[in-house]
Amino acid sequence: MRTLIIGGTGNISTAIVRQLCDSDNEVVLYNRGRSRGEWNERKNVRVIHGDRNHYAEFEEQLKEQRFDCVIDMIGYKIEDAQSDLRAFAGKCEQFIFCSTVDVFTKPAPNYPVTERTEKKPAAAFPYAFQKAAMEAEFERAAENGAFALTIVRPAATYNDTSAPIGIMNSGLAVMRRIRHGRPVILMGDGMSLWASAHRDDVGKAIAEAVLNRKTYGRSYNIPGTECMTWKNYYGTVANAMGVNQPEFVTIPTDVLFAAAPSACSWCPINFMYNNIFEFDAAVRDLGFRYTITWLEGVSRMIAYHDKLGNIDGSQDHPAYDPLIRLCVEFREKAGALANLDSVSRK
């Protein structure tokens, strides 16, 4: 079996390569060669260096190649899909596209979101909008016999070197604030639901899709399975550090976006919504198992970054503490209106 992975050294890709190398596979990676992965020591891994964004070169390099399965892990725009089709239509048995659960309409009509839920992401969310357009392009090609198509949709996926998702701040800065007992911002009321998964669990499931005929013509959500409020998400970081729960300051999503439109760009288009997905199909066909809890995952992150001094060396977003002070002052002034409320009832 000969498998091409476009990418191969990224977050999820590394776990996929590891799984495929542990079986009788020839694995070919196509990437720029900027990241050195553990594949350097694998005898059954070959690397073709190139930039998939240089479409003519990409297609020329792979023109004479034949693969049983092609996995695109770094496709982000419709032009990438069109180049894939020129390169691989009619030249592989199966094509696996790594999409995202963000292709589903937000807010969802009901939860958990299934593979059959409407897919109409907002154009204001270009990452999701482009992924949905790519899915449609591949589906049309598969219907015309280009290859058997499998779509995988990971949710928030991390590894041991990652950090928790930060609202305005970096994840490392959030960990530093929690460790030192400083207030932490929660988006909205902090009660929207979120789930994350370790890349080892996600990568293993995707590897199981390779030449798995059950997956032909199907799509799979591969999310985390612990449904946490953002308050619990950050509270688990405190538990892993062995410190007290932080003081949380709730700030409306539109206020966060107004104060830091770049740092908070995903808040009004993604993070503010419940992100909970059905994953029964992945369990059934891909053997998906959620084996690394968020507590274990975040404990690994802390151990990794503490060795490098990354947590205590992190810096807050310059607007983080000023925004906290502003919101606290506003609530204090708003509290004074309680006197008017009591008067109105007399």
Side-chain angles (χ1 to χ4, degrees):
M1 180 168 67
R2 193 165 189 253
T3 301
L4 171 70
I5 301 179
I6 306 171
T9 60
N11 180 25
I12 302 174
S13 297
T14 299
I16 297 172
V17 174
R18 187 184 305 140
Q19 289 293 322
L20 292 178
C21 286
D22 287 341
S23 55
D24 186 20
N25 291 297
E26 178 188 356
V27 180
V28 180
L29 311 182
Y30 186 94
N31 57 53
R32 293 174 295 182
R34 294 181 179 177
S35 300
R36 294 183 61 84
E38 59 187 74
W39 45 263
N40 288 288
E41 300 175 1
R42 302 277 188 167
K43 293 181 180 180
N44 55 342
V45 176
R46 187 166 71 87
V47 182
I48 301 174
H49 288 149
D51 188 337
R52 69 89 43 84
N53 294 303
H54 298 161
Y55 299 128
E57 176 185 339
F58 169 72
E59 294 158 28
E60 179 65 24
Q61 285 178 285
L62 297 169
K63 181 173 62 175
E64 303 300 328
Q65 302 280 340
R66 293 292 184 274
F67 302 97
D68 298 299
C69 178
V70 175
I71 308 175
D72 189 349
M73 296 299 298
I74 54 173
Y76 298 107
K77 53 187 182 295
I78 191 64
E79 292 82 4
D80 294 343
Q82 293 164 346
S83 180
D84 279 339
L85 292 175
R86 290 192 295 269
F88 305 116
K91 297 180 182 179
C92 64
E93 177 179 333
Q94 180 192 26
F95 188 92
I96 299 176
F97 174 51
C98 184
S99 185
T100 170
V101 293
D102 293 324
V103 298
F104 296 111
T105 304
K106 295 178 186 292
N110 47 61
Y111 295 94
V113 174
T114 76
E115 286 86 354
R116 299 171 300 283
T117 297
E118 178 185 70
K119 298 191 294 294
K120 289 185 178 178
F125 192 1
Y127 169 70
F129 190 79
Q130 288 286 332
K131 285 282 194 178
M134 293 182 72
E135 284 194 18
E137 191 81 1
F138 289 133
E139 286 169 345
R140 284 190 292 270
E143 288 173 2
N144 291 326
F147 38 56
L149 175 66
T150 303
I151 296 173
V152 291
R153 299 191 187 108
T157 306
Y158 66 91
N159 63 61
D160 295 358
T161 70
S162 303
I165 294 169
I167 301 301
M168 184 184 291
N169 255 352
S170 72
L172 290 171
V174 170
M175 287 198 284
R176 179 178 55 80
R177 295 183 72 91
I178 290 173
R179 171 168 282 166
H180 295 289
R182 299 180 65 190
V184 171
I185 290 174
L186 283 182
M187 172 187 55
D189 62 1
M191 292 294 107
S192 56
L193 297 175
W194 189 259
S196 297
H198 195 281
R199 63 106 175 267
D200 288 353
D201 290 335
V202 174
K204 183 176 182 180
I206 295 175
E208 288 295 324
V210 174
L211 297 184
N212 179 347
R213 290 183 176 274
K214 293 179 182 178
T215 72
Y216 290 7
R218 298 186 63 91
S219 61
Y220 298 89
N221 297 338
I222 313 179
T225 67
E226 291 178 280
C227 301
M228 298 170 284
T229 65
W230 285 96
K231 184 175 182 180
N232 289 339
Y233 179 84
Y234 293 128
T236 302
V237 178
N239 292 340
M241 288 181 161
V243 300
N244 292 331
Q245 293 290 298
E247 172 192 351
F248 290 114
V249 179
T250 58
I251 298 179
T253 305
D254 58 342
V255 174
L256 281 168
F257 182 69
S262 178
C264 297
S265 61
W266 278 42
C267 290
I269 57 178
N270 188 10
F271 297 152
M272 69 177 287
Y273 300 110
N274 290 321
N275 279 262
I276 303 302
F277 306 92
E278 184 179 281
F279 53 91
D280 292 351
V283 171
R284 181 188 66 241
D285 294 347
L286 306 179
F288 174 55
R289 296 292 182 274
Y290 184 82
T291 68
I292 301 171
T293 65
W294 176 236
L295 177 61
E296 179 182 349
V298 96
S299 297
R300 293 185 186 186
M301 294 180 198
I302 293 166
Y304 173 83
H305 289 296
D306 273 344
K307 286 183 180 179
L308 301 175
N310 292 339
I311 296 176
D312 287 337
S314 62
Q315 298 294 320
D316 286 320
H317 187 286
Y320 199 92
D321 282 311
L323 183 59
I324 287 178
R325 288 194 294 271
L326 184 65
C327 288
V328 169
E329 290 171 6
F330 174 81
R331 287 189 171 94
E332 290 174 350
K333 292 179 179 179
L337 298 178
N339 294 329
L340 298 177
D341 181 59
S342 62
V343 170
S344 70
R345 296 180 181 181
K346 292 181 180 179

